[in-house]
């Protein structure tokens, strides 16, 4: 019966959507009706409202969607959806400011003389509008009204002209900032949590371990990472469009002729080009650049974009009779310049300025810049409000669009909850996991389903209904070990086709609405076929070369101020690869540096420091041999994998089938024990499932446990080798910077000679009320000197003796402290002259290899190498 209600749920939803019922109400309505019917049927036929649910009851599943959506707003780390109204406002305001018209006219004049130049200009403008407005309908309509007549007038093929305009208008779905990327990021954040739980359970079932190693964990994603990940694939898609048009124009010049510019390319022409291109490019730089540079979050970048759009609208809106049209924009530019100047050259923390007595100049400059920016925004807002009531209309449209998005999100959350209530998620997971071919067969089926759904559903519906169901299954699969950002971009590229695929391709409807009657609908449909093929080609390219998506987010993360330290477990595999390559290239140089360090005279150092130094050198000498052991362990696993993998795959598939049957068996036993259903049928079902289990268990090879144990031993040897290498290099490097800091502080100790003399002379005159005021400041100051805590401890002991009135004992301790201070000054001064340069040279020689894990963050060169390594997906399935 669960399957019946699951089909009923899908049928009601499909009927409602097909009949034109608003999607915002079709989704939750289908969920409420189906759950209600299931509860009523259970009460009528079995006397239990919960009987036809996979688990729980109707009240739980009716509230689950609302509860899940509400969690988005209560979790501090899940505030991504706040960016949606900001980017919607930005897009609508820029669309109202006629930016598309200016860009299209200017680019057509610029690119027209080359073959297919008008088509290339449309793609270029589509990419720019995608990075600024991101509104498909507005972009397609604007380009259809302006470019389509010009392209047809210049003898462009109707198919090429309409296909170019429709496809270019959809670029806003994949080129950031994009609403669909924000929604996908939010959905994938939840999916990553579920995938982590699934993978942990899989690891526990396979190995018996209770916790999943951090390096095997599923990493989540954010809207910022989605923007970064989609940036290069978006450019790839733009490049494919332009290349196709250029090749088409070369092969069939009559259908895409060049259009010479009849005017003069004088200074005024180039000034118009600059004034048309620079503002949107500057806005793109501010929005995306602030995210890429780690200066702003997605929400903050959305606010920047909304403010920038308002300022641009202030001078791009119809301005007949308006004076000083560029003054607000000039104020904004001046204000931003002043703020940048203040941040670059002055301390801007007002507490720090007041505490240190530094000049307030930077604060004053920053306040002035802020005032200018705020004045610019107020001036631009007033102008937008007065000019055809633009601001009010944009705010109303923003509120409507945002409300629609959030209502759909709520409805989709309720529909997804109902889908899970009837076991739909388990059915999908079992179906996908049962497919032959591993991850890629599952992935292909999912992409195919999303592509087909694009013929009938909008991108938001696909993102919020399908993604929560399939994403946890794909993310949890260890055989591909994909990143959430890669999966999100792949789905985003696929969803983009939904705007072009008939019968409900919205871009086709938009274009049909503004196209001349001479352009037949069939021509529009035929025109987009090639561009749909290009989108699928881009999908294949990104699928087989993940660094196109993963590299920029990884690079930005590792170069940011908040970059994870090199000891982060998720970085260890790639860090070991980097160190291995460095040992291969510079092994002799590093070994020579270690030998030189072993020849240094450290006999006059304190015994503890000398011992730590010698032990560190011994550990450093083991680094290269230990790395060779890692390579040998890796090689042993690689050699064993081809024989082990097929057996592992078969057994894990059998075990998944057994688990599914076990769940069914437990359900039947539970129903029987509670007196639900026909006892004879349930007993027959139990017997049948037990026979199926026995048959499956017999299919497991007899030597499986021995085979698994042998490979697990190889895997354990690899883990042990890596862990030993990590401990060894950490212990090898740690004494080096510590000793350098201690010796480099030699010049900080001599001033304390006079301080200790003063304390010793004053000691007899002090008592328990005055000794703290005299001793504690000196104790604190000398305690800040590296490796001088023993002196501080002696001073503290002397202070205690003075408080007890034991002045002779205090004098003895003070004399010991003075002698220790003199000894410290002597050996540190000698070491500063004899050892310090060689120590620094040795530290520099091993810092980026043996000492890499001990750095507070990865240096730039190493961060780029590790980012490139982490950008590739790594199969970890044999560890499960």
């Amino acid at each position: 019966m669960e399957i019946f209600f699951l089909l009923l749920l899908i049928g009601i939803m499909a009927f409602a959507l097909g009949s034109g019922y608003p999607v915002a109400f079709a989704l939750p309505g289908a969920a409420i009706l189906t759950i209600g019917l299931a509860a009523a049927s259970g009460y009528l036929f079995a006397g239990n409202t919960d009987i036809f649910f996979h688990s729980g009851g109707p009240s739980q599943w009716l509230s689950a969607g609302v509860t899940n959506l509400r969690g988005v707003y209560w979790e501090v780390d899940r505030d991504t959806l706040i960016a949606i109204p900001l980017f919607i406002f930005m897009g609508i305001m820029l669309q109202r400011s006629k930016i598309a018209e200016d860009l299209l006219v200017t680019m057509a004049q610029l690119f027209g003389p080359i073959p297919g130049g008008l088509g290339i200009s449309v793609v270029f403008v589509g990419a720019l509008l995608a990075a600024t407005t991101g509104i498909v309908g507005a972009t397609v309509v604007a380009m259809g009204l302006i470019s389509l007549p010009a392209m047809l007038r210049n003898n462009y093929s109707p198919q090429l002209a309409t296909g170019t305009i429709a496809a270019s208008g959809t670029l806003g779905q994949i080129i950031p900032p994009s609403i669909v990327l924000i929604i996908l990021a939010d959905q994938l954040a939840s999916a990553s949590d579920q995938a982590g739980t699934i993978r942990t359970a899989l690891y526990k079932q396979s190995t018996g371990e209770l916790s999943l190693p951090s390096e095997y964990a599923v990493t989540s994603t954010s809207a910022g990472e989605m923007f970064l990940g989609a940036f290069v694939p978006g450019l790839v898609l733009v490049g494919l469009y332009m290349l196709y048009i250029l090749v088409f124009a070369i092969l069939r010049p009559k259908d895409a002729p060049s259009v010479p510019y009849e005017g003069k390319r004088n200074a005024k022409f180039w000034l118009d080009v600059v004034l048309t291109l620079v503002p949107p490019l500057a806005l793109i730089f501010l929005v995306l650049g602030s995210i890429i540079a780690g200066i702003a979050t997605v929400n903050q970048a959305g606010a920047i974009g909304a403010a920038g759009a308002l300022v641009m609208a202030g001078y791009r809106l119809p301005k007949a009779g308006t004076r000083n049209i560029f003054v607000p924009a000039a104020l904004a530019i001046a204000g931003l310049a002043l703020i940048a100047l203040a941040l670059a050259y002055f301390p801007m923390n007002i507490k720090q300025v007041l505490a240190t007595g530094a000049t307030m100049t930077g604060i004053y400059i920053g306040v002035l810049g802020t005032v200018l920016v705020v004045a610019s925004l107020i001036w631009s807002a007033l102008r937008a409000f007065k000019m055809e009531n633009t601001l009010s209309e944009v705010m109303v449209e923003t509120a409507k669009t945002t409300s629609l998005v959030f209502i759909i999100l709520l409805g989709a959350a309720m529909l997804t909850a109902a889908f899970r209530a009837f076991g739909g998620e388990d059915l999908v997971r079992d179906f996908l996991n049962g497919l032959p071919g591993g991850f890629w067969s599952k992935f292909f089926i999912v992409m195919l389903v999303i592509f087909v759904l694009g013929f009938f559903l909008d991108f938001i519906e696909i993102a919020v209904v399908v993604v929560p169901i399939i994403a946890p299954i794909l993310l949890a699969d260890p055989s591909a070990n994909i990143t959430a950002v890669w999966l999100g971009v792949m789905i985003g590229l696929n969803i983009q086709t939904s705007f072009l695929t008939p019968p409900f391709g919205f871009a086709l409807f938009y274009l049909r609405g503004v196209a001349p009657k001479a352009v037949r609908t069939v021509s529009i449909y035929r025109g987009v076929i090639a561009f749909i093929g290009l989108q699928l080609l881009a999908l294949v390219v990104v699928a087989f070369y993940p660094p196109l998506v993963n590299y920029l987010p990884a690079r930005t993360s590792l170069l940011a101020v908040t970059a994870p330290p090199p000891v982060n477990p998720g970085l260890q595999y790639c860090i070991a690869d980097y160190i291995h390559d460095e040992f291969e290239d510079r092994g002799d140089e590093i070994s020579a540096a270690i030998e030189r360090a072993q020849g240094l005279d450290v006999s006059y150092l304190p015994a503890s420091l000398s011992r730590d130094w010698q032990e560190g050198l011994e550990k450093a000498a083991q680094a290269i041999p230990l790395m060779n052991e890692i390579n040998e362990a890796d090689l042993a696993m690689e050699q064993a994998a081809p024989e082990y993998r097929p057996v592992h795959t078969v057994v894990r598939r059998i075990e998944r089938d057994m688990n599914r049957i076990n769940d069914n068996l437990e359900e039947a036993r539970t129903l029987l024990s509670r007196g639900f259903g026909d006892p004879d049928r349930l007993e027959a079902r139990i017997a049948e499932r037990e026979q199926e289990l026995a048959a499956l268990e017999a299919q497991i090879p007899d030597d499986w446990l021995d085979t698994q144990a042998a490979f697990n031993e190889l895997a354990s040897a690899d883990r042990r080798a890596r862990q030993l290498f990590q401990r060894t290099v950490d212990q090898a490097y740690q004494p080096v910077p510590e000793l350098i800091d201690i010796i480099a502080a030699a010049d900080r100790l001599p001033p304390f000679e006079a301080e200790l003399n003063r304390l010793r002379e004053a000691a007899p005159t002090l008592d328990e009320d005055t000794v703290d005021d005299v001793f504690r400041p000196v104790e604190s100051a000398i305690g800040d000197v590296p490796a001088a805590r023993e002196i501080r401890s002696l001073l503290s002991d002397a202070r205690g003796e003075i408080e007890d009135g034991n002045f002779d004992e205090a004098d003895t301790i003070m004399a010991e402290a003075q002698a220790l201070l003199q000894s410290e000054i002597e050996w540190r001064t000698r070491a500063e002259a004899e050892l310090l340069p060689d120590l620094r040279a040795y530290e520099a020689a091993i810092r980026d290899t043996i000492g890499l894990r001990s750095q507070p963050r990865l240096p730039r060169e190493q961060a780029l190498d590790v980012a490139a390594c982490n950008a590739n997906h790594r199969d970890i399935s044999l560890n499960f």
Side-chain angles (χ1 to χ4, degrees):
M1 288 299 291
E2 292 176 9
I3 295 179
F4 169 77
F5 286 109
L6 187 63
L7 294 174
L8 182 64
L9 171 70
I10 297 172
I12 293 175
M13 180 192 69
F15 175 78
L17 293 175
S19 62
Y21 202 73
V23 64
F25 304 106
L27 300 183
I32 293 171
L33 283 175
T34 309
I35 291 176
L37 288 172
S41 300
Y43 180 77
L44 289 174
F45 298 110
N48 183 359
T49 57
D50 301 351
I51 189 66
F52 295 131
F53 291 89
H54 187 64
S55 63
S59 60
Q60 171 189 337
W61 292 111
L62 281 174
S63 61
V66 179
T67 303
N68 292 342
L69 188 71
R70 187 176 59 192
V72 172
Y73 302 100
W74 286 98
E75 294 180 21
V76 177
D77 296 334
R78 297 279 304 281
D79 62 350
T80 307
L81 297 180
I82 296 173
I84 290 179
L86 295 172
F87 283 119
I88 291 175
F89 176 89
M90 170 184 165
I92 296 176
M93 182 62 77
L94 288 175
Q95 183 265 329
R96 292 293 185 93
S97 65
K98 311 298 182 184
I99 185 175
E101 182 175 347
D102 294 345
L103 282 170
L104 281 167
V105 172
T106 304
M107 292 301 99
Q109 295 171 348
L110 192 63
F111 290 109
I114 67 174
L118 278 180
I120 292 175
S121 69
V122 169
V123 175
F124 184 84
V125 172
L128 284 182
L129 293 178
T132 51
T133 66
I135 300 177
V136 172
T139 305
V140 172
V141 168
M143 292 195 296
L145 288 171
I146 302 165
S147 293
L148 185 56
M151 297 175 80
L152 296 177
R153 189 168 55 249
N154 286 281
N155 299 318
Y156 265 68
S157 162
Q159 289 88 349
L160 178 64
T162 54
T164 301
I165 291 172
S168 300
T170 66
L171 288 171
Q173 297 306 297
I174 195 62
I175 294 180
S178 162
I179 302 302
V180 68
L181 294 179
I182 296 175
I183 294 174
L184 283 172
D186 178 71
Q187 299 296 323
L188 288 169
S190 298
S192 298
D193 295 339
Q194 297 176 46
T197 302
I198 295 172
R199 186 175 286 187
T200 301
L202 180 62
Y203 189 77
K204 178 183 177 182
Q205 176 186 334
S206 303
T207 65
E209 300 290 337
L210 296 178
S211 60
L212 181 72
S214 300
E215 60 265 31
Y216 300 153
V218 178
T219 56
S220 186
T221 188
S222 65
E225 288 185 339
M226 289 292 293
F227 283 4
L228 293 172
F231 186 72
V232 174
L235 294 181
V236 169
L237 197 55
V238 171
L240 287 174
Y241 287 176
M242 290 184 172
L243 182 62
Y244 168 74
I245 294 170
L246 182 61
V247 172
F248 184 95
I250 293 173
L251 296 178
R252 301 174 62 179
K254 291 184 179 180
D255 289 334
S258 59
V259 182
Y261 176 54
E262 297 178 357
K264 295 181 179 179
R265 295 181 181 271
N266 51 21
K268 183 179 182 305
F269 171 80
W270 291 110
L271 179 62
D272 289 341
V273 172
V274 171
L275 289 178
T276 303
L277 277 179
V278 168
L281 288 176
L283 187 60
I284 294 170
F285 174 79
L286 286 174
V287 174
L288 297 184
S290 61
I291 296 174
I292 294 173
I295 298 172
T297 64
V298 173
N299 294 339
Q300 294 163 347
I304 293 171
L310 186 60
V311 172
M312 288 178 62
Y315 68 83
R316 280 188 176 270
L317 286 169
K319 46 186 178 290
T322 303
R323 296 182 300 173
N324 304 321
I325 194 68
F326 290 106
V327 172
L331 288 176
I333 294 172
L336 291 175
L338 288 175
I339 292 173
L341 175 68
L343 291 172
Y345 295 103
F346 298 96
M348 295 301 291
N349 187 318
I350 193 167
K351 290 183 178 180
Q352 180 183 358
V353 170
L354 294 176
T356 59
T359 175
M360 290 283 291
T361 304
I363 302 296
Y364 295 143
I365 294 175
V367 170
L368 177 60
T370 303
V371 169
L372 291 178
V373 172
V374 172
S376 169
L377 290 174
I378 294 174
W379 194 339
S380 299
L382 289 174
R383 182 172 288 173
F385 181 75
K386 292 179 180 179
M387 291 181 182
E388 303 176 359
N389 202 28
T390 301
L391 183 60
S392 298
E393 293 179 0
V394 170
M395 294 290 284
V396 170
E397 287 299 317
T398 300
K400 288 181 179 178
T401 307
T402 303
S403 300
L404 178 63
V405 170
F406 279 80
I407 291 173
I408 291 176
L409 286 174
L410 175 59
M414 295 181 68
L415 183 73
T416 303
F419 189 79
R420 289 174 177 149
F422 301 113
E425 189 174 34
D426 291 340
L427 288 175
V428 172
R429 181 169 61 248
D430 292 340
F431 168 73
L432 292 177
N433 288 333
L435 291 172
F439 170 83
W440 288 106
S441 63
K442 291 188 284 187
F443 181 73
F444 175 78
I445 293 296
V446 167
M447 289 292 108
L448 180 62
V449 169
I450 291 176
F451 178 73
V452 173
L453 287 176
F455 283 72
F456 309 101
L457 301 180
D458 191 8
F459 73 96
I460 295 181
E461 300 158 33
I462 297 174
V464 299
V465 174
V466 179
V467 173
I469 297 170
I470 56 92
I473 301 169
L474 296 178
L475 290 173
D477 193 321
S479 63
N481 195 30
I482 60 172
T483 61
V485 65
W486 178 83
L487 179 60
V489 171
M490 290 295 293
I491 294 174
L493 278 170
N494 199 346
I495 287 177
Q496 187 181 349
T497 63
S498 67
F499 281 92
L500 300 179
T501 48
F504 300 123
F506 292 99
L508 308 180
F509 292 155
Y510 297 143
L511 187 57
R512 175 67 277 175
V514 298
K517 292 183 179 179
V519 178
R520 296 184 303 165
T521 302
V522 175
S523 297
I524 298 176
Y525 284 177
R526 290 173 59 187
V528 298
I529 292 175
F531 291 93
I532 293 173
L534 292 174
Q535 290 179 341
L536 296 178
L537 175 60
L539 200 64
V540 172
V541 170
V542 175
F544 287 98
Y545 193 64
L548 287 174
V549 174
N550 293 329
Y551 177 70
L552 264 184
R555 172 193 172 105
T556 304
S557 172
L558 294 179
L559 291 179
V561 177
T562 56
V567 294
N568 185 286
L571 304 178
Q572 297 315 302
Y573 183 87
C574 290
I575 285 179
D577 273 1
Y578 172 80
I579 296 175
H580 168 263
D581 294 341
E582 287 295 294
F583 282 168
E584 289 286 323
D585 296 339
R586 299 173 43 230
D588 293 340
E589 175 187 337
I590 295 171
S591 297
I594 295 173
E595 291 178 5
R596 286 194 299 271
Q598 289 172 337
L600 297 176
D601 180 15
V602 294
S603 58
Y604 54 88
L605 268 60
S608 61
L609 292 178
S610 178
R611 182 179 62 254
D612 291 344
W613 170 256
Q614 296 293 349
E615 290 178 355
L617 289 177
E618 293 174 5
K619 298 289 186 182
Q622 299 172 20
I624 295 179
L626 288 176
M627 178 57 72
N628 292 333
E629 291 184 14
I630 293 177
N631 295 334
E632 292 172 1
D634 279 347
L635 181 61
M637 287 184 65
E638 289 177 7
Q639 292 174 343
E643 182 179 352
Y644 177 67
R645 188 181 300 278
V647 181
H648 176 271
T649 303
V650 170
V651 172
R652 291 297 181 238
R653 183 180 296 118
I654 292 172
E655 289 176 344
R656 283 196 299 269
D657 293 340
M658 291 176 66
N659 289 333
R660 186 176 67 253
I661 294 173
N662 258 322
D663 292 340
N664 193 287
L665 182 61
E666 289 301 319
E667 179 185 356
R669 286 172 175 167
T670 301
L671 291 174
L672 183 63
S673 65
R674 294 180 180 179
F676 296 136
D678 185 351
D680 294 335
R681 292 182 61 185
L682 287 174
E683 289 177 355
R685 177 178 164 189
I686 291 172
E688 182 181 353
R689 295 296 178 267
E690 288 176 343
Q691 290 177 359
E692 291 176 357
L693 277 177
L696 285 173
E697 190 172 1
Q699 296 177 22
I700 297 177
D702 295 335
D703 62 345
W704 160 245
L705 293 178
D706 294 335
T707 304
Q708 183 186 31
F711 187 85
N712 285 346
E713 179 55 35
L714 295 177
S716 298
D718 179 74
R719 286 194 295 272
R720 287 195 299 270
R722 291 178 181 276
Q723 292 169 357
L724 179 58
F725 174 81
Q726 292 166 10
R727 288 197 303 269
T728 300
V729 294
D730 291 348
Q731 295 168 2
Y733 181 77
Q734 184 180 1
V736 182
E738 291 180 356
L739 186 56
I740 290 174
D741 290 343
I742 292 170
I743 296 175
D747 59 342
R748 296 174 59 183
L749 287 178
F752 287 104
E753 288 185 294
E755 289 290 335
L756 263 62
N757 286 332
R758 179 179 63 82
L759 291 179
R760 188 175 182 184
E761 292 173 358
T765 64
L766 302 175
D767 55 31
E768 60 180 350
D769 296 327
T770 58
V771 66
D772 280 1
D773 295 337
V774 176
F775 268 70
R776 284 192 182 277
V778 180
E779 292 176 34
S780 178
I782 203 168
D784 292 336
V785 179
R789 292 186 177 274
E790 189 174 350
I791 301 175
R792 175 182 179 174
S793 179
L794 289 172
L795 293 179
S796 178
D797 292 343
R799 174 167 50 83
E801 295 296 339
I802 292 173
E803 289 175 347
D804 294 338
N806 301 325
F807 294 104
D808 291 339
E809 186 63 27
D811 187 71
T812 302
I813 296 174
M814 288 295 300
E816 184 180 351
Q818 287 179 310
L820 180 58
L821 175 64
Q822 188 60 40
S823 173
E824 289 285 330
I825 293 174
E826 289 176 359
W827 77 257
R828 292 192 196 210
T829 303
R830 178 182 175 184
E832 186 177 26
E834 297 179 2
L835 275 180
L836 191 57
D838 293 326
L839 291 178
R840 285 175 169 159
Y842 172 62
E843 191 275 336
I846 68 169
R847 179 191 307 139
D848 296 337
T849 51
I850 294 174
L852 185 58
R853 278 173 41 87
S854 299
Q855 303 305 314
R857 55 184 296 172
L858 285 171
R860 181 179 180 82
E861 178 186 348
Q862 289 71 32
L864 297 180
D865 189 279
V866 171
C869 171
N870 271 340
N872 290 285
H873 298 148
R874 181 169 64 94
D875 183 357
I876 59 172
S877 60
L878 295 184
N879 296 288
F880 285 77

